[in-house]
Amino acid sequence: MGGRLTGIRVALLGGDAREAILLEELLRQGALVQVAGVPVLPAREGYTWYDDPLAAVRGAQVFILPVPGVNSEGRIYAPQSEQPLYLNQELAAAIPGGTPVLVGVARPFLQEMAATRGWRLVETADMDEMAILNSIPTAEGALMLAMQELPITLHGSQAFVLGLGRTGFTLARLLAGVGALVTVVDRGAADRARALVEGWRVVAFTDLAGVIGQAQVIFNTVPDLVLTAALLAATSPEVLIIDLASAPGGTDFEAAMTLQRRAMLAPGLPGKVAPRTAGLILARIYPTLILDCLERL
Ligand code: NAP
C-alpha cells in the first residue's frame, strides 16, 4: 500500500472512537501502527495489536497518546480497554529521547515526564487548526446542553458569550443562527469590532456588571476567573451558566452554589457529542503533523 506515511512506525496507546478513526487513516496512508489497549481492529496490513504496551512502543518513530492524554497517576485515557494502561517508568524508558509524542492535552504528569526524558511533546488541542475545527462540535454540544437544561427556547433568549476566541466566535454564530439575542463579552477591541460586524451586542468585561442581570444563559469560554462571586450575585436567579473553559473553568462554582445559580462545567464536548467528527479532525491533521515532526514534509 502506498501513501504519505509508508513505512513510518507509529505507536498508539489507548483512546476511544476518535483514535479508532485516526488509526484507520494512518493505516490508509501506509503507516505501520503498533497499538496497545484500544482500538482493536480485525487483522490487517500495517496494524499490530499488542497485549503489552512495552512491545507496542518498541521501534516506534512517533508515539501518539489519546486526546485527553494521561491523568495525574500516569493512567492513559482508554475507557474501553479491559486493562488499565499506565505510562510508568518502564514504559517511558522504552521511548527514546527526541521521539515526537503527540497528545491533545498534556497535563503536568506528562509534561514533566516528557521534559525528563527529552521527548518532543506536541500538544495538539490548542493548535489553531485543531481548535478552530473543534469549535464546531464544542459549540453544538454547548447548544445541546442549553436546550436540555433551559425551560425556554434559545430562539429569542438573552444569550451571553464570554470570550470571543476560537470557541466563542463559533458559538456566538451558532446562537445567532437559532435566533438567540446574542451579547458577546470580550477584552479585545479588535474582537469586539468583529462582533459588531456580525450584528451582535458587544460589552466590555468592565461593563458586564451592569447588564449581566439580563442574561438567561451564559456561556463562558475564558480560561480565567471571570464569573466572580460579585458578578454572579448580579445575575438572574433563573440564569443557566455553561462553562466551556478548561478545568477549573472561569466560574466561581462555590459562589454559584451559595447563590443558588445553576452553573455547570462542560469539558470534552467534541469527543462526547460528535466522536466521529472529532476523530475525522484528528485524521485530517495528524498525518501532516507526523511528517512535520519527522522532517519529511
Ligand atoms: P481561545 O481562542 O484562546 O479564546 C479564549 C478567549 O478568552 C479569548 O477571547 C481570550 O482573549 C479570552 N481570555 C483569556 N484570558 C482572559 C482573561 N483573563 N480575561 C478576559 N478574557 C480572557 O481559546 P478557545 O480555543 O476558544 O478555547 C477556550 C477554552 O475552551 C479553553 O480553555 C479550551 O481549553 C476550552 N475548550 C473546551 C472545550 C469543551 O469541550 N468544553 C472544547 C474546546 C476548547 P484574548 O484573545 O484577548 O487573549
Side-chain angles (χ1 to χ4, degrees):
M1 191 198 296
R4 292 198 304 159
L5 302 179
T6 297
I8 296 177
R9 205 167 277 281
V10 178
L12 173 63
L13 261 59
D16 58 20
R18 292 170 283 185
E19 282 72 23
I21 291 167
L22 171 62
L23 170 60
E24 292 279 359
E25 182 61 18
L26 297 177
L27 293 170
R28 200 186 66 78
Q29 295 202 23
L32 304 167
V33 191
Q34 306 175 166
V35 173
V38 280
V40 183
L41 295 184
R44 60 187 276 191
E45 198 184 336
Y47 166 79
T48 319
W49 187 86
Y50 293 92
D51 212 8
D52 178 7
L54 255 183
V57 299
R58 263 191 212 115
Q61 296 155 274
V62 178
F63 182 32
I64 299 182
L65 284 165
V67 173
V70 176
N71 74 10
S72 54
E73 280 86 50
R75 187 167 176 171
I76 299 171
Y77 173 82
Q80 292 143 19
S81 174
E82 284 173 14
Q83 301 294 329
L85 286 176
Y86 284 96
L87 185 56
N88 53 27
Q89 293 301 336
E90 195 188 7
L91 185 62
I95 303 167
T99 302
V101 175
L102 275 53
V103 64
V105 181
R107 294 183 216 175
F109 181 95
L110 179 60
Q111 283 177 1
E112 282 159 27
M113 189 171 265
T116 310
R117 299 274 172 189
W119 300 334
R120 184 168 163 199
L121 189 61
V122 182
E123 276 194 80
T124 60
D126 200 40
M127 290 178 167
D128 259 345
E129 199 180 353
M130 277 279 279
I132 291 168
L133 291 174
N134 266 331
S135 74
I136 301 166
T138 306
E140 285 194 14
L143 257 73
M144 180 196 77
L145 286 174
M147 286 174 179
Q148 280 171 351
E149 297 295 326
L150 282 171
I152 55 170
T153 58
L154 283 171
H155 182 275
S157 70
Q158 289 285 353
F160 282 42
V161 177
L162 311 190
L164 206 56
R166 296 162 298 192
T167 306
F169 198 85
T170 303
L171 177 58
R173 280 183 110 159
L174 217 55
L175 286 164
V178 297
L181 305 169
V182 176
T183 298
V184 297
V185 187
D186 194 273
R187 66 179 173 184
D191 286 332
R192 294 203 299 268
R194 263 183 219 109
L196 284 174
V197 172
E198 296 290 330
W200 306 325
R201 180 168 74 152
V202 177
V203 172
F205 276 101
T206 42
D207 299 326
L208 183 55
V211 293
I212 200 166
Q214 299 165 9
Q216 291 171 297
V217 57
I218 301 172
F219 299 91
N220 175 54
T221 73
V222 177
D224 215 341
L225 181 61
V226 280
L227 282 174
T228 57
L231 272 176
L232 290 168
T235 60
S236 153
E238 276 82 45
V239 75
L240 170 70
I241 297 162
I242 298 180
D243 199 327
L244 302 168
S246 48
T251 306
D252 184 337
F253 284 100
E254 248 182 70
M257 198 183 284
T258 308
L259 291 160
Q260 299 190 319
R261 298 296 191 269
R262 223 150 37 110
M264 58 172 78
L265 194 61
L269 290 175
K272 287 176 189 158
V273 304
R276 183 159 176 79
T277 301
L280 289 169
I281 293 170
L282 298 181
R284 181 188 177 101
I285 292 167
Y286 275 42
T288 304
L289 261 184
I290 290 171
L291 290 171
D292 195 15
C293 287
L294 299 177
E295 296 180 1
R296 296 218 194 157
L297 271 181

